[in-house]
Amino acid sequence: MKMNLTAMFIGAALIFSLPSAADACTRTVSKKAAQTIVPAGRINQSLLDSAIRNEVNYHRCRAGLQKVSSAGNGLVKQAAKHSTWMARSQQLTHRSTVPGLATLKQRVKKAGVKFRTGSENIGMVHRYQIDNRRFKILNASSCQFATYEGQALPAHSYASLARHAVNLWMQSPGHRKNILDRRVTRMSAAVAFDPKAQYCGRYWLTQNFVG
């Protein structure tokens, strides 16, 4: 039995207001997102995108800001491509080596989205809910983890992955600035999975904002 501590790494490319009527803000979590574990393959990017946007809009509501709407499937696809490139290259970066898609500006243009401003949050988290906490490996081959107090740490659902990632971004000034930017009106997000990462795999996330 081993005890470990792991952390999530995040990056931001690129004001925020004090909460206003924060008590009136509620999260919208679909039953499907809450009950469905994010798989290693054939990830439902639309479901994840929606879950992340719901979390973002909860925090924007608390800051007295307007909600962001979907930036469309085209930008979801570009976000997924960038996440896949990061997972394969093992590089958490906003600039890739993909011809014509190396920068955020190129990716947004490729998606066919009209914009005046844009920003990007990226990150990586483990498939199991072990980030930023002490945990025990109960059975490495079957991916069984638990807190030091014995609480089981399951794989992320779409809803828990979205909440965990957005909460971590909100704790970072650069990411928080992007999420609470008054100028942005639309958002898309996607994820890729790296099955070879320690502790049964890791997700690489890309979140794009445009206005």
Side-chain angles (χ1 to χ4, degrees):
M1 182 180 295
K2 299 181 181 179
M3 182 177 69
N4 297 268
L5 177 66
T6 187
M8 179 254 192
F9 298 89
I10 52 181
L14 236 161
I15 15 184
F16 53 90
S17 305
L18 293 174
S20 176
D23 292 341
C25 302
T26 58
R27 283 182 168 93
T28 303
V29 181
S30 74
K31 184 176 181 180
K32 185 176 181 180
Q35 296 182 350
T36 306
I37 298 299
V38 185
R42 295 185 178 276
I43 295 172
N44 187 333
Q45 300 289 1
S46 178
L47 185 59
L48 179 73
D49 175 50
S50 178
I52 289 179
R53 189 163 50 258
N54 286 337
E55 289 294 320
V56 164
N57 282 332
Y58 168 74
H59 290 287
R60 287 179 66 89
C61 175
R62 289 179 60 85
L65 300 174
Q66 293 294 318
K67 292 181 178 181
V68 291
S69 60
S70 171
N73 291 333
L75 194 53
V76 171
K77 290 179 180 179
Q78 292 305 318
K81 288 180 180 179
H82 187 63
S83 290
T84 299
W85 179 86
M86 289 193 297
R88 290 175 177 173
S89 66
Q90 295 292 294
Q91 297 181 64
L92 188 67
T93 175
H94 300 282
R95 189 176 186 89
S96 75
T97 59
V98 181
L101 299 174
T103 66
L104 171 60
K105 186 175 182 179
Q106 289 176 326
R107 293 191 287 273
V108 175
K109 283 187 174 181
K110 184 68 173 180
V113 176
K114 294 182 179 180
F115 67 101
R116 292 183 177 180
T117 187
S119 59
E120 180 174 80
N121 287 342
I122 54 177
M124 55 184 180
V125 301
H126 285 90
R127 186 183 187 194
Y128 285 76
Q129 298 179 37
I130 59 177
D131 289 303
N132 298 339
R133 66 172 76 199
R134 298 170 66 197
F135 67 96
K136 302 176 184 178
I137 301 176
L138 303 180
N139 189 316
S141 61
S142 60
C143 303
Q144 294 183 33
F145 307 99
T147 64
Y148 196 64
E149 294 72 30
Q151 179 183 356
L153 296 172
H156 275 293
S157 67
Y158 285 93
S160 69
L161 178 59
R163 182 170 298 188
H164 180 58
V166 174
N167 282 344
L168 288 169
W169 282 327
M170 284 295 292
Q171 293 169 23
S172 167
H175 303 87
R176 182 185 178 100
K177 180 180 178 181
N178 290 342
I179 290 171
L180 302 183
D181 189 342
R182 293 180 179 275
R183 300 169 301 171
V184 300
T185 57
R186 292 161 291 160
M187 187 219 86
S188 288
V191 66
F193 182 65
D194 172 18
K196 297 180 181 179
Q198 191 177 22
Y199 307 127
C200 301
R202 185 163 56 192
Y203 296 112
W204 295 69
L205 298 106
T206 301
Q207 177 187 49
N208 295 142
F209 294 94
V210 291

